[in-house]
Amino acid sequence: MTIQKKQFGTHSKDNGDEWWFHLARDTDNPTELFVIYETEFGGKRSERKIPIHEYLGSGERGTSKLIEMIGTLID
């Protein structure tokens, strides 16, 4: 199992809190896309895997950046 990912967004605050957003897939199941949502708050880092359809429908921070990245695939 290898996870391939491409970052489509990041956000940080003056207090050191940070967010990273990646479009990802597992090479064992390449048709299943998901978002890896990483955060670091107060020095503690966490990661969530969210199915792409749930992420796009959630209104989470960064959804517009993902849509923008997907749009670059069209000539």
Side-chain angles (χ1 to χ4, degrees):
M1 172 176 102
T2 301
I3 302 294
Q4 296 175 315
K5 61 185 184 178
K6 181 173 178 129
Q7 184 172 312
F8 63 87
T10 185
H11 180 75
S12 61
K13 288 186 157 183
D14 292 338
N15 65 1
D17 292 350
E18 295 185 81
W19 296 259
W20 300 270
F21 307 92
H22 304 271
L23 180 61
R25 69 177 179 174
D26 181 340
T27 56
D28 290 342
N29 190 2
T31 60
E32 186 177 328
L33 299 175
F34 54 93
V35 170
I36 295 177
Y37 177 51
E38 294 179 78
T39 58
E40 185 170 328
F41 301 122
K44 294 184 181 183
R45 196 166 187 146
S46 67
E47 179 179 296
R48 286 191 300 156
K49 287 174 33 176
I50 307 168
I52 193 168
H53 69 279
E54 287 181 22
Y55 181 78
L56 288 171
S58 70
E60 286 268 4
R61 179 184 302 245
T63 54
S64 62
K65 292 287 188 183
L66 177 55
I67 291 168
E68 186 179 306
M69 186 180 79
I70 292 168
T72 66
L73 301 173
I74 299 170
D75 291 333

